[in-house]
Every structure is written in C-alpha cells, then in structure tokens.
Amino acid sequence: MNDLLAWDLPEDFADGCQTITYWRRGRPPGLTVTGAIFRPVSPTRMDRQNGWAGADAVWHIPEGSLPGPARPGDVLHDAAKRRWTVLVVSATATGRLILWTRDWAASFAAAQSADVEVAETTQGPDGEPVIHWRPWLTGVPIQFHSSHSQTPNAEGRTPTYRVLVAAELPSRRLRLKTSAGVLYWVDRVEQPGLPGHPAVLYVHPITQDVS
C-alpha cells in the first residue's frame, strides 16, 4: 500500500468519519453526505494564532457523493453545525475529493454577529410609501473595521465603518442590527471578489428613532 492511499484512509484521522450537510452554491436544499473526514489546518503565521486557530480545515468526501462537481463557494455544515466554506477543491487517486475550507466565523478576530434586514415598501392609507424591515439573515458573523471617516447624511455627520459579513447579500436596501441591538444603515455593499469570501459593507449608525 502506498503512502498516499494509507494517508487517505479514515482511521488515519483523529475525528474519523462524519455525516455532513453539503450546500451547493445557489442551489438549496442541502445534501446529506456520509463518510466525510475532517482534518484541521494549523495557522502558518504566528499573528494568526488567536484569530485563526481552528478556522481552516481540510475535508475529504467520497467523490460520487455529490450530483455534480464541488466548487469554491459551496458550504458544508458538520455535526456540530459549524459552517465551512469551500475555498479550493482537488481530487485524489483514491476516489475522494479534498476540500480546503474555512469557518469564517472562527476566522474573524471579533466574535460578533448581526441580523441583516431588508426594506420592503407598501402603500399607506393615503397612498404614501411605508417602509417595513424584514429579517433576511439572522446571527450572521461580522467583523467591524473603523474607517475613521465622517459621512454627511440625514442624521448629520456620523462615522462610517467597514464591516466584513460572512454571507451573500441581495442588491436591496439593507440595514444591520447587531447582537447588542445597535442599528446601522448600509450605504454600500461590495460583493466578494472570490466565491465564498465575506462581503464588505460600508455602514453608519442610525442615530434617530426608526421602526
């Protein structure tokens, strides 16, 4: 038995085989995959020890377990409900796919989360537009980066923040509600340049009372 084949067997992995749910990018619902093997990847940079410990992993799944090819941007949920985004896909000679993945929630230095809400407009009794806010995603991992800029807007001049959001977002009017209950208008959304990477939002706090 050659080294590659021996290394690819389940008994060589501490966590053994798991049953996971695999989500094809843009194609719900998820698929149940058995015989998945998990192997953590240690950080290669010393400055990533705190924020990146446990954030990257390699998954091995049977090659015929999916109806089509695995692609970057696909997502899998393990038995502990951790969400792993596929970054790179490769195959082995032993009939298994190797998926290099990242848990973006674990990779963010600040363990914060927020709800993403979308605006829906209805007509009031006198024909006036009435905006209602509906949850789009709840408990999404985020990371704030202060841009230290002052943006003139309806609330005056407020700071603008750059926020990383581990989710795909619609091209609609959005706002964020953090786990602490603070609301932010979303001024601009930059969709990720690579599949599965976080979106970038530019937001400013809502300083007036809104419903």
Side-chain angles (χ1 to χ4, degrees):
M1 182 180 296
N2 60 43
D3 291 341
L4 176 61
L5 180 60
W7 184 79
D8 195 40
L9 292 176
E11 54 265 27
D12 291 330
F13 293 81
D15 287 7
C17 290
Q18 300 185 32
T19 297
I20 64 172
T21 303
Y22 195 95
W23 301 81
R24 300 297 301 276
R25 181 175 172 86
R27 297 183 186 178
L31 303 169
T32 299
V33 176
T34 59
I37 302 170
F38 170 84
R39 185 178 187 185
V41 176
S42 300
T44 57
R45 284 170 34 183
M46 293 302 296
D47 61 347
R48 291 188 174 187
Q49 288 295 335
N50 293 327
W52 288 74
D56 290 351
V58 175
W59 286 86
H60 291 229
I61 65 174
E63 193 168 6
S65 59
L66 302 178
R71 297 186 178 93
D74 291 351
V75 171
L76 62 89
H77 289 184
D78 63 17
K81 305 302 181 183
R82 291 185 68 177
R83 184 180 190 272
W84 299 91
T85 299
V86 177
L87 304 180
V88 179
V89 180
S90 59
T92 70
T94 59
R96 300 185 71 83
L97 291 176
I98 299 177
L99 310 177
W100 293 81
T101 66
R102 176 163 297 158
D103 177 356
W104 284 107
S107 71
F108 287 168
Q112 300 184 61
S113 64
D115 296 341
V116 179
E117 300 178 340
V118 297
E120 293 185 341
T121 304
T122 60
Q123 194 173 52
D126 298 322
E128 75 281 6
V130 178
I131 296 178
H132 302 276
W133 291 94
R134 179 174 62 86
W136 179 266
L137 294 170
T138 59
V140 178
I142 62 173
Q143 185 179 49
F144 270 85
H145 295 272
S146 176
S147 66
H148 304 292
S149 65
Q150 296 290 323
T151 303
N153 47 61
E155 289 84 31
R157 299 185 67 86
T158 57
T160 297
Y161 299 94
R162 182 174 179 267
V163 183
L164 303 182
V165 179
E168 293 187 31
L169 301 174
S171 299
R172 299 172 62 177
R173 187 179 180 187
L174 306 173
R175 72 180 186 182
L176 291 183
K177 183 178 182 181
T178 68
S179 53
V182 181
L183 289 171
Y184 292 85
W185 294 124
V186 177
D187 300 319
R188 181 161 58 97
V189 177
E190 291 181 358
Q191 298 294 351
L194 294 174
H197 285 233
V200 179
L201 274 60
Y202 294 87
V203 307
H204 69 270
I206 299 175
T207 57
Q208 62 185 26
D209 185 26
V210 293
S211 59

